[in-house]
Amino acid sequence: EKARCKTPERAGRFCSKEQIFMCWAETCDSAMSLSTLSSMNLEVICDVQEVADDFYYRLSDDKVVKWASAKTSAVLKFKYPDLDVAKWKQ
């Protein structure tokens, strides 16, 4: 929350991909390369703001929950093909 500058009044600040990568590089283990990070589709989990030809990203809690839910459903469907995942979402 602190790095995002998120408060109850504000959703946080927008950052460039380069700023995000610098922060992640400090916290990720060495197995995760910068090329892996740069290929990530941040629009899936971030709000995007375009200024001129530059894009800025802000982590969206709602988008993260939606992404994690979809990933969890996919894993459950793979691991337990007979499981009705739709019942879990209610």
Side-chain angles (χ1 to χ4, degrees), residues 39-85:
S39 67
M40 293 178 77
N41 183 9
L42 295 179
E43 293 83 3
V44 173
I45 60 169
C46 294
D47 297 323
V48 182
Q49 189 174 62
E50 183 177 1
V51 178
D53 291 332
D54 297 322
F55 290 91
Y56 297 91
Y57 305 89
R58 176 179 64 199
L59 190 63
S60 167
D61 293 340
D62 292 337
K63 287 184 176 185
V64 169
V65 170
K66 185 178 175 181
W67 173 83
S69 176
K71 289 294 181 183
T72 301
S73 294
V75 169
L76 287 173
K77 284 180 186 178
F78 178 77
K79 183 75 175 162
Y80 306 103
D82 296 330
L83 182 67
D84 185 3
V85 177

Side-chain angles (χ1 to χ4, degrees), residues 1 7-8 18-19 29-30 46 69-70 73 80 88-89:
E1 302 299 316
T7 66
E18 291 79 20
Q19 289 172 312
D29 63 19
S30 59
C46 294
S69 176
S73 294
Y80 306 103
W88 288 63
K89 292 185 177 185

